[in-house]
Amino acid sequence: MARVVTYTERGGPEVLSLTEAPTPPVGAGQLGIRVQAIGVNPIDAKLRAGIRHSPALTEPRRIGSDAAGIVTSVGDGVEGFRIGDAVVVAWAAGTYASELTIDAALATPRPPQVPAAEAAGIGIPVGTAYQTLRSLGVGSDDTLLVHGGSGAVGHALIQFARLWGARVLATTSDARADRVAALGAEPVAYGAGLADRVRALTDDVTVAIDAAGTDEALQTSRELVDDHARVATIVRGADADGLGIRAFGGGSPHPLTERERAWRAEAVPVAVALLAAGRFVVELGPQLPLADVVEAHRLLETGGHAKITLVP
């Protein structure tokens, strides 16, 4: 029996409970995984709370998309994996668990230089950042403004854009400015007068990405970037059409294209290779036992923490 986190009603962190459930048998094209670390993402809390739409609850629902672990079983037809291999799990379902059965396509080999906790922080934030940058065509001729530069997605946006030669300005608090600068961005304090502070650094912002979800972020982006097709939000997707900007997730009524989904998947092995080479960073925050999942979600909603992970 595996230990799994489920909820039977929407609400605050207290609706989450740790229970036991059988792990589905490993079928053709699948892998069995012993979970070592689990990434806790904002979307997990939004789904749990009913802020983000999901189907009606008719039975206990599992939670989580990202993890890292060790292969314990290999299904028929699976190539490239052996029992004992370390892997990253991304875009799966119900990863808040001690054991998983997943499609092999959702696993990426993990070299020994990449710890499990860092690997568990890759999936959603890194995939979202990589795909958004690809969709907007960010490259060496660009000056990118990132709103929410100190969060997990913001960190990934900064690092990929800098690797691809773009100049990056990123909004942040004073307390996190040094961290943003260490990743290669020019920190800009958010708050009243943001547009003027950006203009003091450059008058040529060519692309902007909102990972903060504030009115200030959306207004400033539209004010500074002439081509609104190169302004995007990953948080306020429901508002994007009315603002004349693009959205990737965040409640957008427009699903990702096949190409965009492929970019999100592509991001995982790219990030793993960069992490192994010491050219990419996943900043870790609180690490809690799986049994303390309620506290993990309270910390998530409080904000101000680097990547939160759970350990079965």
Side-chain angles (χ1 to χ4, degrees), residues 88 90-91 108-111 113-115 118-131 134 152 155-157 159-160 163-164 263-282:
V88 181
W91 311 101
T108 299
R110 172 167 56 94
Q113 302 96 318
V114 181
E118 293 181 20
I122 292 175
I124 285 181
V126 174
T128 300
Y130 184 92
Q131 170 265 308
R134 288 296 193 199
H155 279 190
L157 287 167
Q159 291 179 88
F160 282 131
L163 284 168
W164 301 341
W263 275 329
R264 291 197 175 193
E266 178 181 290
V268 179
V270 169
V272 168
L274 289 169
L275 276 164
R279 299 177 62 205
F280 196 88
V281 175
V282 173

Side-chain angles (χ1 to χ4, degrees), residues 115-244:
E118 293 181 20
I122 292 175
I124 285 181
V126 174
T128 300
Y130 184 92
Q131 170 265 308
T132 301
L133 291 166
R134 288 296 193 199
S135 294
L136 295 173
V138 174
S140 59
D141 293 333
D142 283 310
T143 297
L144 167 66
L145 174 61
V146 174
H147 298 278
S150 59
V153 177
H155 279 190
L157 287 167
I158 292 167
Q159 291 179 88
F160 282 131
R162 291 294 294 132
L163 284 168
W164 301 341
R167 180 184 180 185
V168 182
L169 284 63
T171 68
T172 181
S173 65
D174 290 340
R176 299 283 287 163
D178 287 346
R179 181 60 184 165
V180 166
L183 295 175
E186 299 165 57
V188 185
Y190 52 71
L194 173 60
D196 290 337
R197 288 191 293 278
V198 173
R199 288 193 183 97
L201 296 172
T202 180
D203 59 359
D204 188 30
V205 176
T206 57
V207 58
I209 300 171
D210 163 42
T214 62
D215 290 343
E216 172 189 73
L218 297 173
Q219 179 181 341
T220 302
S221 296
R222 295 172 70 243
E223 181 179 340
L224 296 177
V225 179
D226 291 335
D227 182 1
H228 288 178
R230 303 198 77 203
V231 175
T233 180
I234 63 166
V235 185
R236 297 270 295 275
D239 301 323
D241 285 351
L243 294 169

